[in-house]
Amino acid sequence: MSDHPIKTRELHNHHFDSTKWNNFPVRDDDIIIATAYKSGTTWMQNIVMGLVYQQKQIPENCAELFPWLDLRVPPIHVQLPVLEAITERRQIKTHLRLDALVFNEKAKYIYIGRDGRDCYMSLCNHYRSGNDLWYQLLNETPGLVGEKLPRWSEAGWTEESLFDEWISRGQGIEGETDGYPFWSLFDNVRSWWEYRHLPNIFFVHFQDLLDDLPGTVRDIAAFLDIPIHEDGFDDMIESFRFSTMKKNADTSALIPVGGAIFEGGGKTFINKGTNGRWKGVLTPEQLRKYDEVVAAKLDPDCAAWLAGGEAAFPLRRNA
């Protein structure tokens, strides 16, 4: 393993076009928010946006200003002028493995993790809520590489039946053996975990945000070198709570396409914000298979952190 991350692969599927990063000029003060999926990405974007724009007017077109860059639509030539025009500190989202990302040694990277079983349950809600426009954007726009994303309804999936595919089958990305029909959560986590020692990579767990939102926000602000205006801190924390974000989901500028790609709109995309919903859904045999895959793909410390965050493995506090 090299001292710093090096891009060694491109990822393409119905969602990804990793080549969009290749000629994108990352600024030294950019904030990159990274997850595999359904781990609190939008929640973290909301927190970072609030910190950056303390006591300032938050832009109305946040979805354009804070994009998922490796999503293959829109193309980079559409996004680049918007991003280059931003004068405030930028935040950009990625769902790429670290070995598919062009890494900047000065930019700040926040990686958010969550128990894989909770990610899976949230992914099911996301997947089955996609409407015709969602499938059209992913499957019918120019540049698709590989298979189309199967429609949930046509495949006849249930949370229980899809799990067997998700935990044991890749989607077509070289070397991946789980994650179907999206991509491997475990390979994604592992690629970032290997570089957790770098001073510009910061790990936050979904459970940490639930257990101690004020303390975690202070840690994030310190990592980003953003002073906190104490007179507005309590109100800011209230605006960061998942319940507040859920309440405002239909008007949030961070929801993809304003929620138009999901049945039920933004409040479907911002779903429950809870963990443990897999209990009573996944069978004992499926849970055993999950444990087998975790043990095969992640080292014990990473597995502990992914399952429970700081309470299970105090990564940040002992850094």
Side-chain angles (χ1 to χ4, degrees), residues 43 205-216 241 275 308-312 317:
W43 196 358
H205 197 279
F206 192 95
Q207 192 63 46
D208 303 340
L209 295 171
L210 291 175
D211 291 345
D212 181 15
L213 183 60
T216 304
R241 295 198 184 281
N275 289 331
E310 287 289 299
R317 306 300 180 186

Side-chain angles (χ1 to χ4, degrees), residues 13 17 22-23 34 62 146 153 171 179 203 209 214 251-252 260 278 298 316:
N13 67 3
D17 177 5
N22 292 352
N23 297 306
C62 293
S153 58
Q171 191 271 342
F203 276 69
L209 295 171
T251 58
S252 172
W278 47 269
L298 306 179
R316 300 198 316 273

Side-chain angles (χ1 to χ4, degrees), residues 80-98:
L80 195 55
V82 177
L83 290 167
E84 288 182 334
I86 297 173
T87 57
E88 296 285 352
R89 196 171 179 184
R90 303 185 303 188
Q91 60 161 294
I92 302 162
K93 176 171 72 173
T94 181
H95 289 308
L96 291 176
R97 298 162 48 148
L98 187 48

Side-chain angles (χ1 to χ4, degrees), residues 126-161:
H126 181 93
Y127 189 7
R128 66 171 167 250
S129 299
N131 60 21
D132 288 343
L133 177 59
W134 188 58
Y135 286 103
Q136 178 185 344
L137 290 171
L138 295 176
N139 291 339
E140 308 301 336
T141 48
L144 173 66
V145 175
E147 300 177 359
K148 294 181 179 181
L149 178 67
R151 285 180 174 260
W152 173 281
S153 58
E154 293 178 1
W157 299 123
T158 64
E159 291 169 339
E160 184 178 336
S161 66

Side-chain angles (χ1 to χ4, degrees), residues 90-127:
R90 303 185 303 188
Q91 60 161 294
I92 302 162
K93 176 171 72 173
T94 181
H95 289 308
L96 291 176
R97 298 162 48 148
L98 187 48
D99 59 4
L101 189 69
V102 178
F103 188 76
N104 180 296
E105 294 183 14
K106 293 185 178 180
K108 295 294 183 76
Y109 295 81
I110 300 176
Y111 189 85
I112 310 99
R114 190 182 189 186
D115 187 296
R117 294 161 295 192
D118 293 307
C119 291
Y120 170 76
M121 295 298 292
S122 185
L123 182 66
C124 285
N125 175 73
H126 181 93
Y127 189 7

